[in-house]
Amino acid sequence: MEPLAPDHPVNRPPSPCVNLCRMDPCTGWCQGCARTIAEITAWSKLSAAEREPIWAALPSRRSTTKKSHPLGQD
């Protein structure tokens, strides 16, 4: 059996939160986890299937945030 990819749902942490909670006023995403306030507050109530599109959007959002705020600067 082949090992699962690191981003496979089974290998994911329970939440994308990295304890760097600061909202970007331009994007509306948390600078740490790249989720919106609505996604963050709903996270614990969402099913795995409902979380999947959010997980899928995070890499692109993080890339956008890094370009907007190099080195985490505002």
Side-chain angles (χ1 to χ4, degrees):
M1 180 180 226
E2 234 178 275
L4 298 173
D7 64 343
H8 189 279
V10 171
N11 292 330
R12 288 188 185 141
S15 166
C17 181
V18 295
N19 295 319
L20 175 66
C21 306
R22 185 170 51 180
M23 299 308 290
D24 182 317
C26 296
T27 63
W29 304 325
C30 173
Q31 289 181 358
C33 69
R35 293 178 293 167
T36 66
I37 288 285
E39 291 166 345
I40 293 167
T41 56
W43 192 259
S44 64
K45 299 174 193 84
L46 297 176
S47 68
E50 292 169 319
R51 291 176 180 178
E52 236 359 83
I54 299 169
W55 277 111
L58 298 182
S60 173
R61 291 180 186 180
R62 287 184 181 123
S63 176
T64 300
T65 301
K66 284 180 184 175
K67 289 175 188 171
S68 300
H69 302 283
L71 304 175
Q73 298 171 352
D74 292 325

